[in-house]
Amino acid sequence: MNRRMIFYMVGNIVRLEAVLLMLPLFISLGYQEMNCVNAFSAAIITATILGFGLSIFFKPRSKVIYAREGFIIVTLAWVFLSFVGALPFVISKEVPNFFDALFETVSGFTTTGASILSDVEGMSKSLLFWRSFTHWIGGMGVLVLIMAILPTDTGRAIHILRAEMAGPVVGKLVPKIRETAKILYFIYLILTVVETCFLFFGGMSLFDSTVHALGTAGTGGFGIKADSIASYSPYLQWVITIFMLIFGVNFNLFYLLLLRKIRPVATNRELWVYLAIVIISGGIITASIYPLYQNVSDSVRHSFFQVASIVSTTGFSSADFDLWPDLARNTIFILMFFGGCAGSTAGGLKISRLMILVKSVQKDIRHLLHPRSVANVKLEGKPLDNNILHGVTTYFSLYILLIGVTFLLLSFEPRYNFEANITASISCCNNVGPGLGLVGPMAGYAGYSNFSKVVLTIAMLFGRLEIYPVLLTAYPKTWAKK
């Protein structure tokens, strides 16, 4: 166990956060929000001292890491980032309760979008920007960012990439891991800028365009208005709908498009399943809500906006879907489990895992009918290793257990009913954001007790890091010397 390397890397991450905090600091200076200037300055000083302290005190003798070090680095980095990132909210006194501030920050970094703010329009511009910027930082992964911009000679850095990137299988786009990280962030940045331009030229202010693009890119969904996206024009809602779907797609496919390799993209089965789910769900909800709107255009726009928002786990809302008929609400509830494609910024179970689970069931059924037959489970035309199949089924079991434990712990909450608690559990574990009922799209999580907020905060971390990194970090034997 290379403990020194673990805390050395965490120190580097915290130092990077100090640099990233300078952007909202400049915005607070521009808007002359002096309480936020002081808050961001204090957070930057804290991050700088802590980051340099860890990097100097734990300077490693060897920079080689293995799988378990990679898992621990990712988990601790996200915890340290969240605690430091919560400081501007607390110091500015705009979110004075530390548990609320930590909940909001973890919700931002994990791209969940669940919020405790009851008056979001009363927040300072710089803090609103920081909320959305945490989505962008956490969307692709801060460890991926540091590998992209800083020279790394950590050795076996693929373990960090695999621990932080979502999906059952993670690989390198190019032989060098740093080049892979650069490619991912280049695509991520370009798409964010393109969306910002579409929104700005569609009538949004530059500030609104930027924060919504950051929230869409990270599939986070923090809004800056009480009604989320509902008060914006149909054009702007369609732009956000399209980009929510785009950011739910595997980024490897965008890289293939850059190389003009159209055929692998056109034949990607996960992509087609993802699009089929969107189209079918959108059609069902459109038919269900048409009597409410009495207008095909509005019904289609709202239904596909919400489908894109939930399946990509972004969490923006163009309407209060909690008021929709049961068929529409139940469809949205089911979509909360799905998530986007592997290798995207979306949360959830992931389409590829669902495909593998379905194929595994089909394989078992065929084996029952023909006991002597030998069949392989294939994904994208390639047979999957038994270790991957076992990993997916084990992950699914842990995933259901995580939702169940979260729900049971929330059940001690007297103010929230079954519908609110179960959808809050599913939403936070899948990094979706809104639930139904008392935690619906136009409500929030402010009414939960500090205990329940801590439970949901931990659930969001488990969901974003896909369970194993957090479990291994908390497991005492992980830290034992070999």
Side-chain angles (χ1 to χ4, degrees), residues 442-460:
M442 301 304 165
Y445 291 75
Y448 276 112
S449 65
N450 288 337
F451 170 77
S452 295
K453 287 170 186 170
V454 170
V455 169
L456 291 171
T457 298
I458 295 171
M460 288 187 280

Side-chain angles (χ1 to χ4, degrees), residues 170-311:
V170 175
K172 295 182 285 187
L173 298 177
V174 291
K176 292 184 178 181
I177 190 66
R178 190 183 177 200
E179 295 304 314
T180 296
K182 282 184 176 180
I183 291 168
L184 288 172
Y185 259 95
F186 172 76
I187 296 170
Y188 191 43
L189 178 61
I190 291 300
L191 287 174
T192 306
V193 171
V194 170
E195 183 186 358
T196 303
C197 293
F198 272 103
L199 294 174
F200 178 71
F201 290 113
M204 265 193 191
S205 68
L206 181 59
F207 179 84
D208 287 18
S209 301
T210 303
V211 294
H212 284 106
L214 293 173
T216 307
T219 61
F222 273 150
I224 60 173
K225 293 183 179 292
D227 62 0
S228 189
I229 310 296
S231 57
Y232 291 105
S233 68
Y235 164 81
L236 294 172
Q237 291 178 10
W238 274 118
V239 169
I240 293 174
T241 299
I242 292 167
F243 276 93
M244 285 190 293
L245 292 174
I246 287 173
F247 283 106
V249 173
N250 191 328
F251 272 60
N252 289 6
L253 300 185
F254 298 133
Y255 178 62
L256 292 174
L257 288 176
L258 288 176
L259 298 178
R260 297 181 181 179
K261 295 182 178 180
I262 307 299
R263 182 175 175 79
V265 177
T267 58
N268 186 272
R269 294 184 181 181
E270 184 186 28
L271 175 62
W272 283 108
V273 172
Y274 172 68
L275 295 176
I277 289 170
V278 170
I279 293 169
I280 293 169
S281 302
I284 292 171
I285 294 175
T286 298
S288 177
I289 67 175
Y290 177 75
L292 287 178
Y293 294 96
Q294 295 293 315
N295 183 292
V296 174
S297 176
D298 289 344
S299 300
V300 170
R301 173 165 48 85
H302 288 307
S303 64
F304 277 92
F305 184 98
Q306 292 311 149
V307 168
S309 179
I310 299 301
V311 80

Side-chain angles (χ1 to χ4, degrees), residues 45-264:
I45 293 169
T46 302
T48 302
I49 294 172
L50 179 60
F52 274 106
L54 289 171
S55 299
I56 294 170
F57 187 77
F58 290 100
K59 191 171 182 178
R61 300 180 184 89
S62 169
K63 293 188 176 181
V64 175
I65 61 171
Y66 295 91
R68 63 174 175 174
E69 283 94 343
F71 284 127
I72 294 171
I73 288 169
V74 168
T75 303
L76 292 183
W78 282 69
V79 171
F80 274 76
L81 279 171
S82 298
F83 274 89
V84 173
L87 293 179
F89 294 106
V90 178
I91 297 171
S92 67
K93 296 183 179 179
E94 296 203 19
V95 185
N97 184 322
F98 180 75
F99 293 103
D100 286 351
L102 184 63
F103 180 96
E104 197 79 6
T105 308
V106 171
S107 180
F109 278 121
T110 59
T111 72
T112 304
S115 181
I116 50 79
L117 296 179
S118 55
D119 182 21
V120 67
E121 294 182 26
M123 293 285 290
S124 301
K125 294 279 189 180
S126 54
L127 283 174
L128 288 175
F129 176 85
W130 175 237
R131 287 170 79 236
S132 296
F133 193 37
T134 57
H135 283 331
W136 197 85
I137 296 168
M140 187 60 67
V142 71
L143 275 298
V144 180
L145 175 60
I146 200 169
M147 285 189 287
I149 65 176
L150 295 179
T152 54
D153 53 352
T154 57
R156 308 191 184 188
I158 187 65
H159 295 307
I160 294 177
L161 187 68
R162 285 174 177 162
E164 192 169 46
M165 291 297 288
V169 182
V170 175
K172 295 182 285 187
L173 298 177
V174 291
K176 292 184 178 181
I177 190 66
R178 190 183 177 200
E179 295 304 314
T180 296
K182 282 184 176 180
I183 291 168
L184 288 172
Y185 259 95
F186 172 76
I187 296 170
Y188 191 43
L189 178 61
I190 291 300
L191 287 174
T192 306
V193 171
V194 170
E195 183 186 358
T196 303
C197 293
F198 272 103
L199 294 174
F200 178 71
F201 290 113
M204 265 193 191
S205 68
L206 181 59
F207 179 84
D208 287 18
S209 301
T210 303
V211 294
H212 284 106
L214 293 173
T216 307
T219 61
F222 273 150
I224 60 173
K225 293 183 179 292
D227 62 0
S228 189
I229 310 296
S231 57
Y232 291 105
S233 68
Y235 164 81
L236 294 172
Q237 291 178 10
W238 274 118
V239 169
I240 293 174
T241 299
I242 292 167
F243 276 93
M244 285 190 293
L245 292 174
I246 287 173
F247 283 106
V249 173
N250 191 328
F251 272 60
N252 289 6
L253 300 185
F254 298 133
Y255 178 62
L256 292 174
L257 288 176
L258 288 176
L259 298 178
R260 297 181 181 179
K261 295 182 178 180
I262 307 299
R263 182 175 175 79

Side-chain angles (χ1 to χ4, degrees), residues 299-436:
S299 300
V300 170
R301 173 165 48 85
H302 288 307
S303 64
F304 277 92
F305 184 98
Q306 292 311 149
V307 168
S309 179
I310 299 301
V311 80
S312 68
T313 70
T314 305
F316 283 135
S317 301
S318 66
D320 188 355
F321 58 76
D322 199 44
L323 302 177
W324 287 357
D326 285 344
L327 177 59
R329 294 171 78 249
N330 292 342
T331 303
I332 288 172
F333 175 76
I334 293 170
L335 289 176
M336 287 182 183
F337 291 93
F338 287 9
C341 301
S344 69
T345 59
L349 189 58
K350 303 293 181 301
I351 302 299
S352 58
R353 282 200 183 94
L354 289 170
M355 293 171 65
I356 292 171
L357 287 169
V358 171
K359 288 175 179 288
S360 296
V361 171
Q362 291 175 337
K363 175 190 172 183
D364 290 341
I365 291 173
R366 286 197 299 268
H367 185 70
L368 287 173
L369 293 174
H370 308 285
R372 295 183 181 180
S373 65
V374 178
N376 292 322
V377 174
K378 294 183 179 181
L379 186 67
E380 306 302 340
K382 299 178 182 178
L384 293 176
D385 186 88
N386 285 332
N387 290 333
I388 295 176
L389 295 178
H390 177 73
V392 170
T393 53
T394 304
Y395 177 83
F396 182 70
S397 301
L398 290 172
Y399 166 81
I400 296 299
L401 182 63
L402 173 64
I403 293 173
V405 170
T406 305
F407 170 67
L408 286 175
L409 292 174
L410 291 185
S411 298
F412 290 101
E413 194 73 47
R415 288 170 287 183
Y416 286 83
N417 56 20
F418 174 86
E419 180 185 54
N421 287 335
I422 191 64
T423 55
S425 302
I426 294 167
S427 184
C428 287
C429 290
N430 287 291
N431 306 129
V432 175
L436 297 173

